[in-house]
Amino acid sequence: MWDWAFTFDIIPVLGQAAIVTVQATALGFLIAAILGLFLASARLASPAAGVAVTIVVELVRSTPLLIQIFFLFFVLPKAGIVLDAFTAGVIAIGLHYAAYCSEVYRAGFESVPRGQWEASIALNLSPWRTFRDIILPQALPPVVPALGNYLIALFKETPLLSAIAVLELMQTAKIIGSDTFRYTEPVTLVGVFFLGMSLVSAGLVRLLESWLQRRY
């Protein structure tokens, strides 16, 4: 039986946990977007760098995110690198999704006609100026929808951080449930929050995509 009084009591607690979830998502995706762009750019630098990046990307994509979270939180301290649970979780999801984002960026770079590169060389533009002014403005707009999909996917993966006791939404809901023996209200509210935030994120991505299309 749904208890509205209990629901209103736990909303503030879940609200605090929702802030942690949003922070983990924002920071994790920031790492993924920047590192993914760096990895995709490194592939363009030289064949040797391309092989090295491909190996790293395949290694990360071929192992579960939960294993990577455990590795950063439980194994790195054996090497003297101690990270708190939130930092380890954010870095893990950032590194994991950087591998996927790098593939998205790579597809964007490959969609730029080869003639654009050749024209830049003919105009004696530096590699950096070619990349910044010619290639990147053309490669970014088509990849925004795919990056948006990974943002939403990353957001929905944050409950995995509960495995290392980060007090995000799912972990908080489990604690409330174990303390009160009522799981219906907290778990339902967590589901509603994820649904709402996913819809908001999708809307923002569409606005960004529309803005980029008008600009470029």
Side-chain angles (χ1 to χ4, degrees), residues 153-193:
L154 186 154
F155 172 61
K156 291 188 289 187
E157 294 271 36
T158 54
L160 288 177
L161 301 186
S162 66
I164 54 174
V166 175
L167 289 175
E168 46 68 63
L169 266 174
M170 200 63 228
Q171 176 71 358
T172 303
K174 286 194 293 186
I175 291 173
I176 292 173
S178 62
D179 287 346
T180 62
F181 301 104
R182 294 190 65 91
Y183 287 92
T184 303
E185 291 86 352
V187 172
T188 302
L189 288 176
V190 169
V192 170
F193 173 81

Side-chain angles (χ1 to χ4, degrees), residues 51-114:
V51 172
V53 169
T54 300
I55 292 172
V56 171
V57 167
E58 292 305 320
L59 178 65
V60 173
R61 292 200 309 172
S62 302
T63 51
L65 174 56
L66 186 59
I67 297 297
Q68 294 163 12
I69 292 172
F70 278 2
F71 184 87
L72 291 185
F73 189 64
F74 293 113
V75 178
L76 281 189
K78 305 294 184 185
I81 302 173
V82 180
L83 301 172
D84 62 79
F86 181 80
T87 303
V90 166
I91 292 175
I93 59 178
L95 294 177
H96 187 79
Y97 277 91
Y100 290 95
C101 288
S102 73
E103 290 296 296
V104 173
Y105 287 124
R106 182 179 63 82
F109 293 148
E110 290 178 352
S111 70
V112 178
R114 190 65 196 168

Side-chain angles (χ1 to χ4, degrees), residues 9-18 172 176:
D9 284 342
I10 64 175
I11 283 178
V13 180
L14 290 174
Q16 290 295 321
T172 303
I176 292 173

